[in-house]
Amino acid sequence: MHRSTLTQAKEGLKKKQFSALELTEAVFKRIDQVEDNVKAFVHLTRESALYQAKEADRKIAAGEDAPLLGIPLALKDLICTKGARTTCSSRYLDKFVAPYDATVTERLKRAGAVIIGKTNMDEFAMGSSNENSWHHPTLNPWARDRVPGGSSGGSAAAVGANECMAALGSDTGGSIRQPASFCGITGLKPTYGRVSRFGLVAFASSLDQIGPMTKTVEDAALLMNVIGGKDPLDSTSAENALPDFTKALKGEIKGLKLGIPKEYFTSGIDPEVEQAVREAIKTLESLGMQTVEVSLPHTDYAVATYYILACAEASTNLSRYDGVRYGYRSEKSDNLLDMYLNTRSEGFGEEVKRRIILGTFVLSSGYYDAYYLKGQKARTLIKQDFEDAYKKCDLIVAPTCPAPAFKLGEKLDDPLQMYLADIYTISANLAGIPALSIPCGFTIDNLPIGLQLMGRHFDEETLLKVGHHFQQNTDFHRKFASL
Amino acid sequence: MKYETVIGLEVHVQLKTQTKIFCSCSTEFGRPANENTCPICLGMPGVLPVLNKQAVEYAMQACLATDCRINPRNTFDRKNYFYPDLPKGYQITQLNLPIGEHGHININVNSVQKRIGITRIHMEEDAGKLVHGENEDQGKSYVDLNRTGTPLVEIVSEPEMRSAEEAREYLNQLKAILLYTGVSDCNMEEGSFRCDANISLRPFGQEPFGTRTELKNLNSFRFIQKAIDYEVERQTNILDQGDKVIQETRLYDSDKGVTRSMRSKEEAHDYRYFPEPDLVRLTMDNEWIERIRKTIPELPEQKRKRFVTEHDIPEYDAGVLTASQSMANYYEECVALHPHPKIISNWIMGDLSYELKNDGREIEDCPVAPASLIGLLQLIDKGTISGKMAKTVFEEMYQTGKPAQEIVKQKGLAQISDSSSIDKLIDDVLADNPKQIESYRNGKETIIGYFVGQVMKASKGQANPAVVNQMLKEKLNQP
């Protein structure tokens, strides 16, 4: 039962093959069996989940329907849940319980979902390996000595290990797609503004976006129908009408133009990854799509631009963690300045501090123009690159990551190498466009490889449609990690 | 005085919205600590600001009423600093594209009109406050975030004022404009009108400005004037001794009447301003601006000019009467009932203001309505009571709320004008004062005042003084 996709579980509930309670219990049983080998979760909300499952069964019996009625889902631990801890895998927020639900949490609950727990992540979503978690590192379900990716590594591993039907993650520079790729699952970063950020603990406000992490593209479409759409509590959420994404899946893909950015297939790409991606492109061609080479000339500046802008925003977003009102407070201090210094020194991990310092520096007077302002200009150029490319194609294809999951500890002491793991995913955040990662192969060592599809603003439909057709014709997403 | 004083003012004005600028918490003053708070204004993780449209419209009114040009595109910025009363660790404000720029207001000092430029008006959120423990609680500090997120506009003037009087008059005019438009209640005690002053001196004739200091903690118009005067004197002494003024922020100590250094430029914050990514750009189209423009009432300056030209009252009177809209309304209602503007102006500026001041009331709460005041004035006109008696009657009207007619009747205050009663009184007085009659007849005509006084006294003030005067003259001049 735990192996079901979201769509299959919905079907099973509808046909009364099992109850929501049975499904939720099966998921918890699976968690009990494999969690020690995965460590995907920060904490489980077993009690409330079983209650929600019973409620779902009661509604099903009463003939009620809702898009996610009785479906067990997991949330990345930076999505606020009323009454349950939201730690961001940080010591600072270790005991923090939000008195409010994030808009997505509320929408999931309203759609009948059963929230089973909160998944591990890099502290405040800063990292690409989940090793920057205050709690513990999460392990890759496909290889226990490897990272699940990050920062939504817990969600990716939980889905990859069948510990939930699906999960939500958040993506600031690749944090949904990179772990999805490492864990062999489907992950969508929607267009900036498509999904409300209210209740998503901010890392970099102009880049953060919540998205689905699922076993199939079809499931991602289903989740998008629930979580997407304008939210009056988020001024940056878009007014654009929310399409029915599941309907879009069935559409025709013949004749669609697939852009291949030449800058993404140069040096630094793992040969096995390149081969799998090229195979995937052939598959898409065989389904009637045309390919065209495109250029994204400012690609080289993406990583630098991203780390300037994201850190700048992070440095001020994280200023609120000052020990005054909630969260961690160092007991060592006897004056205000010491309270700030000790609280933040002890409450944050190394990577978070590194980024706060970096961000504070680039916003400092005298450096602002050289870094932040220049970063903004580079961002505009990167955005323009995509606009130009989309004049020639309907979507862009690329690897999600230059290499498969790396080993635990491998890059921990080399932040720059860690940052480069996001080289293919960062541009989509800077441009604000939607991007999907789907499994497209395995290495000789049986590590999943991800294919990335990037679309036009607010055109998740094309991505999902192409991804769905790909999955209808391939089996990569049907493989399970043996645990 | 060989130095010219240069003053620029920054005024923070609390907008009169019911709710805060980025959340729906109440802005009500005086609630128990932290009652008016929610996850958004407490800066909890993951919350987002949503701009209060009413706050924007009040800010637009403030701009239009001071002739500022409204920027069609507005952006917000974060001003970063750590302090316990600032929950997010940054204040959302407007740096690069404020709501309004290039405005001005006119002031009048010693009958000279002067235009003071307004550099900019921008929107921002207020911080909370710290409450420091006393006595056994010494050393502890408490945070009250009720005020956090209250909508403000900061109104920055050009450095175009040249004296403390001009600064004070600028503030008077600004306050009047804001009260007229209903943008703010401008209550200084509750912190809804706060002023910082930038002051520098330069030798007369010199173009570049001298080094300035910024004065803070100016809690009343009186203190502002005093603080500026003190600071001008301080800087004059420094310059006279050949020293240099240090650029710094200084606090005014109203108990001692001095300013004190708070922090120098070297210690100044680097606020690391950058565009607020949680808010979208605010676009103000012409239609919106014009709709708001229509809501701007006649402003004090226009009203003042109209009163002078239409009612022919002195500029000074018009200035006093237009200081608040309700005062002007009161005056205009009176004039509509009784077209004698100067007499009405005298009453309002005199007895009425005196009673209100004693009572600590505003004219809105005046127990004597315009129609009642006019009732009184008509009694004077008819000769029923004297002007002097009217003052007593007015006092009574103010205390009891009764109409003039009733008080006059009850107290038997009606003026005695019939000659037979007065005749008798005059005869009695004259009979008692043969010496004074003698002096009068010997040419000391001013002594008639003494006789009038005696007759009035005998009549308990009720005799019509004009009639008494006339009849006295007739009798004394009889051989």
Side-chain angles (χ1 to χ4, degrees):
Chain A
M1 219 184 290
H2 62 265
R3 287 195 165 193
S4 318
T5 66
L6 199 163
T7 310
Q8 287 164 348
K10 232 173 106 78
E11 204 56 30
L13 286 168
K14 197 175 173 186
K15 289 184 179 157
K16 305 226 168 21
Q17 287 164 348
F18 43 79
S19 69
L21 186 61
E22 284 167 339
L23 180 63
T24 303
E25 280 172 340
V27 163
F28 278 117
K29 196 175 156 209
R30 169 69 175 174
I31 291 171
D32 291 339
Q33 282 166 353
V34 302
E35 177 62 2
D36 281 351
N37 294 327
V38 186
K39 299 185 174 184
F41 287 89
V42 169
H43 49 96
L44 296 166
T45 49
R46 208 180 286 257
E47 207 174 313
S48 62
L50 293 174
Y51 174 80
Q52 286 164 353
K54 282 179 206 158
E55 272 297 289
D57 281 331
R58 194 185 53 75
K59 285 182 180 166
I60 292 167
E64 288 177 45
D65 196 16
L68 300 171
L69 196 53
I71 304 292
L73 300 177
L75 300 180
K76 186 178 181 179
D77 204 25
L78 49 36
I79 295 171
C80 288
T81 42
K82 191 175 179 172
R85 282 193 299 156
T86 299
T87 74
C88 295
S89 288
S90 175
R91 182 184 191 187
Y92 187 90
L93 289 177
D94 193 35
K95 296 188 175 62
F96 176 72
V97 177
Y100 45 90
D101 272 331
T103 296
V104 292
T105 308
E106 201 219 294
R107 285 179 179 175
L108 290 178
K109 284 182 178 171
R110 208 171 347 127
V114 173
I115 312 290
I116 59 162
K118 306 292 284 287
T119 59
N120 199 17
M121 53 187 280
D122 287 293
E123 184 181 5
F124 285 107
M126 298 177 185
S128 309
S129 70
N130 257 39
E131 292 164 295
N132 299 331
S133 166
W134 158 252
H135 307 290
H136 48 72
T138 293
L139 313 176
N140 192 311
W142 295 86
R144 288 190 54 203
D145 59 342
R146 289 180 187 266
V147 302
S151 65
S152 310
S155 286
V159 175
N162 288 308
E163 293 179 286
C164 57
M165 300 295 103
L168 292 188
S170 70
D171 191 316
T172 307
S175 283
I176 286 175
R177 291 160 288 158
Q178 185 252 21
S181 155
F182 282 12
C183 295
I185 66 160
T186 299
L188 173 69
K189 181 204 92 74
T191 308
Y192 184 79
R194 182 63 102 180
V195 180
S196 167
R197 293 185 296 114
F198 184 85
L200 165 72
V201 180
F203 160 17
S205 312
S206 76
L207 300 158
D208 295 343
Q209 194 58 191
I210 294 172
M213 303 182 75
T214 54
K215 296 175 188 179
T216 66
V217 170
E218 192 179 14
D219 288 358
L222 223 143
L223 273 178
M224 280 303 293
N225 278 355
V226 173
I227 64 171
K230 175 73 187 169
D231 176 14
L233 296 176
D234 177 1
S235 313
T236 65
S237 73
E239 301 280 353
N240 302 48
L242 195 70
D244 181 343
F245 293 105
T246 54
K247 272 196 184 139
L249 300 175
K250 307 285 181 314
E252 187 59 67
I253 66 164
K254 272 201 183 71
L256 280 178
K257 281 195 189 129
L258 192 60
I260 302 172
K262 58 181 184 190
E263 291 83 1
Y264 282 49
F265 292 89
T266 51
S267 60
I269 183 167
D270 179 286
E272 284 187 281
V273 170
E274 178 165 5
Q275 200 196 336
V277 171
R278 294 218 183 264
E279 288 293 329
I281 293 171
K282 278 187 199 148
T283 305
L284 290 172
E285 280 177 320
S286 75
L287 296 173
M289 289 182 73
Q290 298 169 18
T291 52
V292 55
E293 190 186 78
V294 294
S295 174
L296 300 168
H298 296 94
T299 299
D300 278 353
Y301 302 104
V303 173
T305 301
Y306 172 82
Y307 278 94
I308 287 170
L309 300 182
C311 292
E313 292 183 19
S315 73
T316 100
N317 279 334
L318 272 66
S319 292
R320 66 190 61 198
Y321 309 120
D322 56 5
V324 175
R325 297 166 312 286
Y326 53 81
Y328 182 81
R329 183 193 288 182
S330 171
E331 294 302 327
K332 283 198 276 192
S333 337
D334 54 10
N335 64 57
L336 182 61
L337 182 62
D338 281 351
M339 182 179 94
Y340 285 149
L341 296 176
N342 294 333
T343 294
R344 291 168 66 81
S345 296
E346 295 162 22
F348 293 143
E350 290 307 306
E351 182 61 25
V352 171
K353 280 187 265 194
R354 182 179 296 122
R355 295 197 194 189
I356 289 174
I357 292 167
L358 203 63
T360 304
F361 173 73
V362 301
L363 289 178
S364 299
S365 82
Y367 299 98
Y368 182 90
D369 289 3
Y371 293 101
Y372 183 80
L373 206 60
K374 193 161 266 181
Q376 287 284 44
K377 286 176 184 166
R379 182 176 187 176
T380 306
L381 292 172
I382 288 164
K383 213 181 276 183
Q384 189 62 47
D385 280 357
F386 281 95
E387 277 163 29
D388 292 343
Y390 288 131
K391 285 174 192 156
K392 286 164 72 178
C393 64
D394 299 299
L395 70 168
I396 290 169
V397 65
T400 307
C401 305
F406 47 88
K407 291 205 164 141
L408 282 157
E410 190 181 325
K411 299 186 180 186
L412 202 52
D413 298 325
D414 191 346
L416 203 59
Q417 277 308 306
M418 189 77 94
Y419 295 173
L420 288 171
D422 298 334
I423 192 158
Y424 296 136
T425 48
I426 274 171
S427 295
N429 298 81
L430 291 171
I433 55 172
L436 176 72
S437 178
I438 49 175
C440 73
F442 292 87
T443 65
I444 294 169
D445 296 334
N446 203 33
L447 296 174
I449 296 169
L451 177 79
Q452 184 178 206
L453 299 170
M454 293 178 267
R456 295 188 174 105
H457 280 110
F458 296 102
D459 189 15
E460 288 87 358
E461 287 164 283
T462 300
L463 298 183
L464 293 168
K465 183 167 71 178
V466 173
H468 182 64
H469 279 262
F470 184 83
Q471 292 189 336
Q472 295 299 97
N473 291 279
T474 56
D475 282 328
F476 308 114
H477 64 289
R478 294 197 180 91
K479 294 221 165 106
F480 294 117
S482 49
L483 277 158
Chain B
M1 181 85 175
K2 47 190 185 233
Y3 305 112
E4 183 178 37
T5 305
V6 176
I7 303 168
L9 297 176
E10 292 169 14
V11 179
H12 284 89
V13 176
Q14 181 178 329
L15 301 175
K16 227 166 70 181
T17 53
Q18 299 290 305
T19 56
K20 294 185 178 181
I21 187 167
F22 297 124
C23 65
S24 51
C25 285
S26 164
T27 53
E28 192 186 341
F29 183 80
R31 301 302 302 168
N34 297 309
E35 187 181 88
N36 294 348
T37 60
C38 73
I40 295 171
C41 55
L42 289 175
M44 295 194 106
V47 299
L48 297 169
V50 176
L51 184 59
N52 181 336
K53 193 178 166 194
Q54 181 63 62
V56 177
E57 295 195 340
Y58 278 144
M60 289 166 86
Q61 285 183 311
C63 291
L64 294 170
T66 51
D67 272 319
C68 280
R69 203 195 66 206
I70 290 186
N71 279 320
R73 279 184 0 179
N74 266 235
T75 53
F76 287 87
D77 299 276
R78 289 185 186 176
K79 177 180 180 178
N80 296 285
Y81 64 95
F82 284 97
Y83 204 62
D85 69 1
L86 189 71
K88 297 191 294 296
Y90 56 82
Q91 178 196 32
I92 303 180
T93 178
Q94 296 189 294
L95 179 70
N96 291 320
L97 284 172
I99 184 159
E101 290 178 282
H102 313 300
H104 70 267
I105 58 181
N106 292 322
I107 61 168
N108 247 303
V109 173
N110 302 326
S111 304
V112 180
Q113 183 169 312
K114 187 170 171 183
R115 168 189 281 220
I116 306 295
I118 288 176
T119 318
R120 55 185 279 148
I121 295 183
H122 67 253
M123 292 180 272
E124 62 186 27
E125 58 178 338
D126 207 347
K129 68 171 182 187
L130 293 193
V131 182
H132 299 291
E134 287 170 5
N135 304 327
E136 65 271 27
D137 223 12
Q138 193 97 37
K140 285 189 181 172
S141 293
Y142 298 88
V143 185
D144 179 1
L145 298 175
N146 277 350
R147 214 178 59 190
T148 306
T150 299
L152 304 177
V153 282
E154 181 175 342
I155 301 171
V156 183
S157 84
E158 290 289 316
E160 291 179 345
M161 284 154 276
R162 295 289 172 265
S163 68
E165 296 76 56
E166 285 187 9
R168 187 170 179 164
E169 188 50 24
Y170 167 84
L171 293 171
N172 276 329
Q173 282 310 310
L174 182 62
K175 186 176 165 189
I177 288 169
L178 296 170
L179 285 171
Y180 268 59
T181 43
V183 160
S184 172
D185 61 21
C186 296
N187 188 327
M188 285 190 101
E189 287 84 50
E190 293 179 7
S192 45
F193 190 97
R194 309 196 286 266
C195 175
D196 299 336
N198 287 300
I199 296 163
S200 65
L201 301 185
R202 63 180 171 190
F204 276 101
Q206 177 186 301
E207 183 97 24
F209 293 131
T211 306
R212 69 187 156 87
T213 57
E214 186 181 3
L215 302 188
K216 285 188 181 287
N217 201 29
L218 310 173
N219 296 326
S220 76
F221 284 14
R222 202 161 54 86
F223 290 160
I224 290 165
Q225 193 161 349
K226 282 185 159 182
I228 292 175
D229 284 339
Y230 176 87
E231 185 60 19
V232 168
E233 199 185 313
R234 193 187 69 87
Q235 291 190 15
T236 302
N237 289 336
I238 292 173
L239 295 175
D240 277 349
Q241 284 162 24
D243 289 339
K244 280 182 179 154
V245 173
I246 300 165
Q247 185 173 339
E248 61 184 353
T249 303
R250 298 180 69 85
L251 282 185
Y252 180 64
D253 178 341
S254 56
D255 290 336
K256 301 211 167 71
V258 299
T259 65
R260 231 179 253 134
S261 179
M262 187 171 120
R263 60 167 179 257
S264 70
K265 193 191 174 192
E266 286 72 43
E267 304 165 60
H269 293 293
D270 178 356
Y271 290 118
R272 307 191 312 280
Y273 284 97
F274 89 112
E276 167 57 271
D278 286 333
L279 290 168
V280 288
R281 181 180 292 159
L282 181 62
T283 314
M284 302 197 202
D285 55 22
N286 270 333
E287 198 193 329
W288 192 10
I289 295 172
E290 289 315 310
R291 191 163 57 72
I292 298 302
R293 197 188 299 280
K294 288 202 184 86
T295 66
I296 306 287
E298 185 185 33
L299 294 172
E301 193 190 355
Q302 300 160 285
K303 221 183 253 295
R304 197 170 62 232
K305 286 183 179 155
R306 184 165 61 81
F307 286 179
V308 171
T309 51
E310 286 182 9
H311 299 171
D312 199 24
I313 56 172
E315 183 81 39
Y316 174 81
D317 292 33
V320 174
L321 292 173
T322 53
S324 89
Q325 195 166 30
S326 28
M327 173 99 74
N329 288 346
Y330 190 98
Y331 162 78
E332 285 210 274
E333 272 183 58
C334 290
V335 173
L337 295 168
H338 186 69
H340 298 283
K342 180 58 189 160
I343 292 171
I344 291 166
S345 163
N346 287 346
W347 272 92
I348 294 176
M349 298 196 309
D351 295 71
L352 182 66
S353 294
Y354 175 80
E355 294 293 345
L356 288 172
K357 201 180 164 196
N358 274 349
D359 209 11
R361 289 204 215 196
E362 296 298 323
I363 197 156
E364 292 92 316
D365 311 317
C366 179
V368 181
S372 300
L373 177 62
I374 297 311
L376 178 67
L377 302 190
Q378 282 165 344
L379 289 180
I380 305 175
D381 267 15
K382 278 191 254 167
T384 313
I385 53 172
S386 68
K388 200 173 169 202
M389 281 159 70
K391 287 177 179 293
T392 321
V393 174
F394 180 78
E395 223 183 290
E396 186 81 16
M397 288 168 74
Y398 190 92
Q399 300 305 334
T400 63
K402 287 180 189 162
Q405 197 100 42
E406 195 184 317
I407 294 166
V408 167
K409 206 170 165 188
Q410 255 178 16
K411 304 224 153 183
L413 288 175
Q415 197 164 234
I416 304 164
S417 300
D418 78 294
S419 46
S420 58
S421 318
I422 295 173
D423 203 54
K424 168 113 189 6
L425 290 169
I426 289 177
D427 286 348
D428 290 350
V429 168
L430 291 181
D432 288 346
N433 295 286
K435 265 188 196 156
Q436 281 78 0
I437 298 173
E438 198 64 32
S439 342
Y440 181 84
R441 290 198 172 139
N442 287 338
K444 199 182 172 194
E445 288 191 9
T446 50
I447 206 157
I448 192 150
Y450 169 77
F451 289 118
V452 174
Q454 291 301 306
V455 175
M456 291 305 289
K457 200 173 158 190
S459 77
K460 297 192 183 92
Q462 277 174 276
N464 183 331
V467 176
V468 172
N469 209 314
Q470 183 61 34
M471 287 176 67
L472 260 171
K473 273 185 189 161
E474 280 169 20
K475 287 207 182 226
L476 287 167
N477 292 340
Q478 277 166 13

